[in-house]
Amino acid sequence: DAKTTQPPSMDCAEGRAANLPCNHSTISGNEYVYWYRQIHSQGPQYIIHGLKNNETNEMASLIITEDRKSSTLILPHATLRDTAVYYCIGETGANNLFFGTGTRLTVIP
Amino acid sequence: SAVISQKPSRDICQRGTSLTIQCQVDSQVTMMFWYRQQPGQSLTLIATANQGSEATYESGFVIDKFPISRPNLTFSTLTVSNMSPEDSSIYLCSAAWGPVGGYTFGSGTRLTVV
């Protein structure tokens, strides 16, 4: 299984960029890195995923290092509604997702 | 992306009884999964619901305790059997489509066993 390591918590000022790091040194060459977030009392919400190249969508950007051992999720302009637990996940190869403990991001007014 | 309806959203159940949770997807999907999230914890995969065959359970989860049905490509149920207070958790349904697709989650069922 592709295990991931994330800091347990981070703070970010509202309007600033939130950069959430993730280490996934055991990820295999064909495993994607997914990012999800879970706002309190809701099911996880898909944010973005990538394999090798950097990715960007309307929610965030994903920067993956060339050796694929780590990645960073960037929320360009954090809002209070971005306060959530963010999960960096390696697909296990059976099309299921292994959730680690995630990073609790708190956006501060 | 697919939309998942999960019900009930919450329930309080007596010890020793069973509860069946339903998961309905608005489109056909290849893979469906059931997760458990204990209070203050991350999500743990219970099983993969396979259409037309028995579910594939993760270590620590057994069919007698968590029987799963998947009669078609849009629907699945999870039953929590012979419940005890330790089964109090949020149970989440998830669906994936394609070899590399998005994964959508239901809003979860918050189960309290008393």
Side-chain angles (χ1 to χ4, degrees):
Chain A
D1 290 351
K3 299 296 194 298
T4 61
T5 305
Q6 299 176 254
S9 64
M10 292 181 62
D11 293 339
C12 178
E14 186 178 17
R16 303 296 294 269
N19 296 279
L20 292 89
C22 177
N23 288 321
H24 36 76
S25 58
T26 61
I27 198 170
S28 66
N30 60 351
E31 285 183 320
Y32 283 75
V33 177
Y34 285 80
W35 282 84
Y36 281 75
R37 72 181 182 184
Q38 188 174 27
I39 298 171
H40 183 63
S41 297
Q42 298 181 21
Q45 176 192 23
Y46 166 83
I47 301 173
I48 198 167
H49 74 282
L51 183 62
K52 296 180 182 178
N53 301 320
N54 298 338
E55 303 288 343
T56 296
N57 62 21
E58 65 277 5
M59 290 183 67
S61 295
L62 175 61
I63 308 298
I64 303 174
T65 58
E66 194 168 339
D67 61 9
R68 291 193 4 104
K69 292 185 177 182
S70 65
S71 61
T72 300
L73 178 74
I74 301 172
L75 308 178
H77 306 286
T79 71
L80 298 179
R81 287 178 293 182
D82 292 323
T83 292
V85 178
Y86 287 77
Y87 295 100
C88 167
I89 302 163
E91 186 186 14
T92 64
N95 282 325
N96 55 41
L97 303 177
F98 177 84
F99 283 79
T101 54
T103 295
R104 182 174 298 277
L105 175 69
T106 302
V107 180
I108 302 169
Chain B
S1 62
V3 175
I4 294 179
S5 300
Q6 188 175 336
K7 60 181 181 181
S9 60
R10 60 178 61 230
D11 208 341
I12 301 173
C13 299
Q14 295 292 320
R15 176 195 306 253
T17 62
S18 298
L19 175 71
T20 295
I21 302 168
Q22 298 181 4
C23 179
Q24 178 73 56
V25 190
D26 69 346
S27 59
Q28 293 186 343
V29 293
T30 54
M31 310 287 286
M32 294 182 73
F33 309 95
W34 287 96
Y35 287 83
R36 181 176 72 181
Q37 187 170 29
Q38 294 178 302
Q41 303 295 313
S42 184
L43 282 76
T44 300
L45 180 66
I46 297 172
T48 301
N50 300 310
Q51 196 268 326
S53 65
E54 194 171 281
T56 304
Y57 290 84
E58 297 299 308
S59 175
F61 298 97
V62 295
I63 188 171
D64 290 345
K65 177 66 175 177
F66 298 101
I68 289 171
S69 78
R70 176 113 190 255
N72 56 51
L73 293 176
T74 64
F75 186 77
S76 178
T77 67
L78 168 75
T79 299
V80 186
S81 303
N82 188 24
M83 288 183 285
S84 67
E86 291 71 33
D87 294 320
S88 297
S89 290
I90 298 173
Y91 292 85
L92 296 126
C93 168
S94 173
W97 54 96
V100 180
Y103 293 74
T104 298
F105 285 81
S107 54
T109 297
R110 185 179 296 272
L111 171 63
T112 302
V113 183
V114 298

